[in-house]
Amino acid sequence: MRFYKNGCCGKGANCFFSHDLSSKEDTVCKYYLRGSCSYGSECRFDHVKQHKTKILGPPPLPSSSEPPEKSMISGPKPYDWAQAAEFVPGAKYHGKNYAQITAVDDSAAIVSESHKEKFNELCPWAMSSDGCRLGDECQYVHGNVCEMCGYACLHPDDENQRLRHEKDCIEEHEKAMEASFAIARSKDKVCGVCMEKVLDKKPASDARFGILSHCNHVFCLSCIRRWRGQDKFEKRVVRACPECRVCSNFVTPSIIWVEDEDEKKKLMENYKNALSEKPCRYWNHGKGDCPFNEHCFYKHTDEQGNPMPPKPKPKRRVREDGETENEVHFLLWNFLETRNDNSEVLEDLLLYAGMFQDDVDTESDDFSD
Amino acid sequence: MSNIALTRIQREFKEVIKSDEVKNCQIKLEPFEDNFTHLKGEIIGPPDTPYQGGKYTLDIVIPETYPFNPPKVKFLTKIWHPNISSQTGAICLDILKDQWAAAMTLRTVLLSLQALMSAAEPDDPQDAVVATQFKQHPEIFRSTASFWAYVYAEAPRNEKMKEYEEKLKQLQEMGFHEKNSRITALSSKNWDLQAAMEFLLP
């Protein structure tokens, strides 16, 4: 309509707006009616409420023959859509239901009051790096700029929010510092096998550290895994660190270099936990055989996801006549009726048994892709 | 040659060249015809050993799977040592076989060989004849080793060598013209002229 009046509407007959010059222009401020006009007394539209009943009055029933109940059930009518609340970027969308539309002026005033309260929140755009393009027109509060993060995140009226934000900000900052220290620490670490800087390796999937559990020598994941996978050497040779020959049972992948005992422990714990969520390919829901059996880091469950006990390992022994035969395997469980009641004792027993199983392969790392 | 082997050898080269051992002329490393798969190493006979002052050249072949497998190293310079073949120069050293570690470098290999020259392992011999002599006649072993160092590795001469040269000359006069065989025969037979002669006769 505005373009048409000025003789420059390019849409002609297809225009969504009325091209009827005889119709009277609606000069009532829509935002004022909703109680959220930020121009206040300087608004160029009328801030009056008498038009409201005319505009938002109860729509006439489309047909007198139709029962009113049915029209209520049949959902919004096309004229309802036309009266739907306008979407204003930066402002909250407050769609009105039928009752609100048909309500009298007094209730509209109450609604506008409650809106004012809701707008006492921080503007999410202003808190972002882009900033709020509405500036002062924005219906939301533009907070004070936080010195730590540089964003308008501090609510001018809410001290608790400010304190909370500052605390979060400090925590965030500490984390960022730690991360940058970790990267600085990792940046120049050179793999003892390929002699390249681990983080400079290409492709990016190769730029990972393989952290050994029992020593602090630097290797990239691919090199240390390849070394440990060499079958030309004895197990104890390849499981030893190529630098110091201290044996480690498994390798933990990490994108940063971790040397601190506690951090390393945490890293390995997280890694094991992550692996224990994945089903073991060798175990294959009990259909396959996993050489690591109960020592495997991966999940040994049946198809329904229930944990399964380890399989008995047939042990070979050489008979007096020189032939080898499978030893009959006795499971301790078979002789114990109450498994759970004695669990503590049993754990000790298992630990004790584990002491004699140095040759049992606890390395399950090589299974990962 | 795989990418990792090549880049590592090139890096090792830089490392060796900068190392103190090279500065002190203890070890040397150079490629054969600009080919990094085949290298020539050199170590100096360590002090307080019969090899002192000798220059020992080594043939180093880098396998495709380096550094996950050890380089193939042998002595090109003849040496009298229980763990090194006096005939072929083959070395018996655990780190070049089953005790290799991927973080070892050519520099550490050369230094290990130097250490092997100072501390022989006669119980894990490569050359049984030398090992036997080492255990039963340590004096003869030492003088023989230093004679070999003098003859083959440009080590300095000493008093004992006159006697050995004399025996070599006698053997030559008997018609044994091949110098290396005469030295090997006399060394193996603890410089017993009669035994060496029988050893050389077909």
Side-chain angles (χ1 to χ4, degrees):
Chain A
M1 177 76 184
R2 225 185 314 164
F3 292 103
Y4 179 70
K5 234 165 76 176
N6 293 318
C8 61
C9 182
K11 299 214 165 131
N14 292 330
C15 185
F16 293 127
F17 295 93
S18 164
H19 282 190
D20 182 6
L21 286 173
S22 66
S23 72
K24 198 177 173 291
E25 211 176 327
D26 185 10
T27 54
V28 177
C29 177
K30 288 184 280 188
Y31 300 102
Y32 175 75
L33 289 177
R34 268 195 266 147
S36 58
C37 179
S38 56
Y39 290 102
S41 57
E42 284 171 29
C43 181
R44 63 194 175 101
F45 291 95
D46 294 338
H47 280 194
V48 286
K49 284 178 181 168
Q50 63 263 34
H51 280 293
K52 188 155 178 90
T53 41
K54 193 187 127 207
I55 299 163
L56 303 173
L61 293 172
S63 163
S64 56
S65 62
E66 221 177 318
E69 293 83 16
K70 201 177 177 190
S71 77
M72 295 291 278
I73 298 159
S74 61
K77 296 281 179 297
Y79 44 79
D80 290 340
W81 304 342
Q83 288 162 2
E86 192 176 332
F87 173 72
V88 181
K92 266 197 173 172
Y93 177 73
H94 295 288
K96 288 178 181 172
N97 59 29
Y98 187 76
Q100 280 173 322
I101 294 165
T102 56
V104 287
D105 288 354
D106 290 350
S107 67
I110 295 164
V111 169
S112 71
E113 276 305 307
S114 69
H115 280 170
K116 260 180 195 161
E117 277 166 32
K118 276 182 193 165
F119 285 136
N120 197 24
E121 311 172 358
L122 288 169
C123 169
W125 287 105
M127 284 194 279
S128 74
S129 52
D130 295 333
C132 176
R133 63 184 178 87
L134 292 175
D136 292 342
E137 290 174 40
C138 184
Q139 307 298 309
Y140 290 95
V141 176
H142 283 189
N144 298 334
V145 175
C146 165
E147 279 179 22
M148 293 283 278
C149 64
Y151 293 125
C153 296
L154 299 174
H155 200 293
D157 306 327
D158 188 347
E159 203 194 340
N160 280 338
Q161 188 272 345
R162 289 201 301 271
L163 289 175
R164 222 167 36 234
H165 173 80
E166 269 164 20
K167 194 175 154 244
D168 289 350
C169 231
I170 288 169
E171 269 175 26
E172 199 65 32
H173 183 69
E174 277 172 0
K175 263 188 213 161
M177 289 284 276
E178 263 172 44
S180 59
F181 280 144
I183 289 167
R185 197 170 66 212
S186 317
K187 209 178 65 187
D188 292 327
K189 290 279 182 261
V190 172
C191 167
V193 174
C194 65
M195 292 186 166
E196 290 182 63
K197 282 185 184 171
V198 177
L199 292 187
D200 289 352
K201 286 197 86 171
K202 297 276 182 300
S205 59
D206 273 2
R208 282 192 291 172
F209 293 95
I211 312 255
L212 292 173
S213 50
H214 285 68
C215 73
N216 283 330
H217 287 106
V218 184
F219 303 104
C220 54
L221 186 64
S222 50
C223 281
I224 193 69
R225 281 202 171 147
R226 191 167 162 198
W227 167 247
R228 293 169 76 88
Q230 293 293 310
D231 47 12
K232 248 184 80 179
F233 304 102
E234 274 181 54
K235 279 262 179 265
R236 66 183 175 82
V237 172
V238 288
R239 267 203 227 131
C241 163
E243 302 261 12
C244 65
R245 294 196 188 270
V246 170
C247 274
S248 285
N249 290 333
F250 61 96
V251 181
T252 311
S254 170
I255 48 165
I256 53 156
W257 174 242
V258 176
E259 211 172 88
D260 180 78
E261 271 311 308
D262 292 337
E263 278 181 50
K264 206 162 137 176
K265 226 170 151 183
K266 218 169 90 187
L267 177 87
M268 293 193 295
E269 216 42 60
N270 289 345
Y271 178 59
K272 280 189 193 172
N273 289 341
L275 291 191
S276 66
E277 295 295 311
K278 293 186 193 170
C280 174
R281 278 194 288 159
Y282 289 77
W283 182 257
N284 194 15
H285 301 300
K287 283 177 280 187
D289 258 324
C290 174
F292 303 118
N293 221 356
E294 70 267 36
H295 299 282
C296 182
F297 288 169
Y298 288 85
K299 199 159 70 173
H300 282 193
T301 54
D302 59 18
E303 274 169 3
Q304 282 75 45
N306 304 315
M308 291 176 80
K311 288 186 180 179
K313 262 190 203 168
K315 276 193 180 158
R316 293 187 152 252
R317 69 166 186 195
V318 182
R319 284 203 311 242
E320 276 172 27
D321 56 5
E323 289 290 303
T324 53
E325 61 174 11
N326 282 348
E327 240 176 57
V328 185
H329 198 88
F330 295 107
L331 262 188
L332 184 59
W333 303 128
N334 299 345
F335 302 94
L336 294 162
E337 283 173 13
T338 49
R339 181 172 177 161
N340 294 330
D341 297 350
N342 295 325
S343 60
E344 258 180 46
V345 182
L346 290 175
E347 263 168 37
D348 285 349
L349 269 173
L350 283 176
L351 260 178
Y352 185 66
M355 287 165 68
F356 300 101
Q357 296 189 330
D358 279 351
D359 58 333
V360 171
D361 195 343
T362 52
E363 164 84 62
S364 60
D365 180 46
D366 294 341
F367 288 165
S368 55
D369 298 326
Chain B
M1 193 185 224
S2 74
N3 199 23
I4 178 165
L6 188 69
T7 45
R8 214 190 102 151
I9 287 294
Q10 283 168 342
R11 273 168 206 274
E12 279 191 45
F13 240 84
K14 287 180 195 155
E15 181 210 52
V16 168
I17 286 161
K18 275 186 264 170
S19 69
D20 289 341
E21 291 86 19
V22 167
K23 280 180 198 146
N24 301 337
C25 304
Q26 292 293 303
I27 59 172
K28 218 191 250 179
L29 192 65
E30 54 193 56
F32 260 119
E33 300 156 6
D34 286 336
N35 182 354
F36 282 107
T37 58
H38 195 180
L39 307 156
K40 201 170 106 178
E42 193 181 287
I43 49 179
I44 298 297
D48 304 320
T49 66
Y51 315 103
Q52 182 172 359
K55 273 191 212 163
Y56 293 87
T57 313
L58 299 150
D59 180 80
I60 305 165
V61 176
I62 307 294
E64 180 78 15
T65 49
Y66 187 79
F68 299 101
N69 283 298
K72 291 177 175 63
V73 187
K74 65 172 190 178
F75 273 82
L76 289 177
T77 309
K78 286 175 89 61
I79 182 169
W80 191 251
H81 187 286
N83 304 109
I84 301 158
S85 164
S86 58
Q87 301 301 309
T88 63
I91 303 161
C92 176
L93 183 60
D94 54 359
I95 62 151
L96 292 176
K97 290 173 183 159
D98 53 357
Q99 293 295 311
W100 171 251
M104 286 184 172
T105 63
L106 293 176
R107 180 180 152 264
T108 55
V109 166
L110 293 182
L111 294 177
S112 300
L113 287 173
Q114 230 176 9
L116 179 72
M117 288 165 89
S118 323
E121 286 284 347
D123 292 326
D124 183 20
Q126 175 74 30
D127 195 312
V129 178
V130 186
T132 311
Q133 188 184 66
F134 182 92
K135 281 171 142 178
Q136 291 173 357
H137 310 283
E139 274 305 313
I140 297 177
F141 164 79
R142 268 198 293 279
S143 51
T144 309
S146 56
F147 184 72
W148 280 53
Y150 159 67
V151 174
Y152 299 113
E154 303 168 35
R157 224 180 123 76
N158 65 29
E159 275 305 299
K160 190 85 181 168
M161 284 166 200
K162 209 168 179 182
E163 181 198 323
Y164 288 168
E165 277 170 342
E166 196 60 43
K167 286 184 176 168
L168 278 171
K169 209 174 168 186
Q170 287 177 25
L171 265 187
Q172 191 180 12
E173 282 162 4
M174 287 176 201
F176 302 107
H177 298 291
E178 174 52 53
K179 187 186 175 192
N180 287 346
S181 329
R182 275 182 284 144
I183 294 177
T184 306
L186 281 166
S187 302
S188 307
K189 297 296 168 193
N190 299 330
W191 299 92
D192 180 331
L193 199 60
Q194 190 61 39
M197 202 173 68
E198 281 163 18
F199 179 83
L200 283 170
L201 284 171

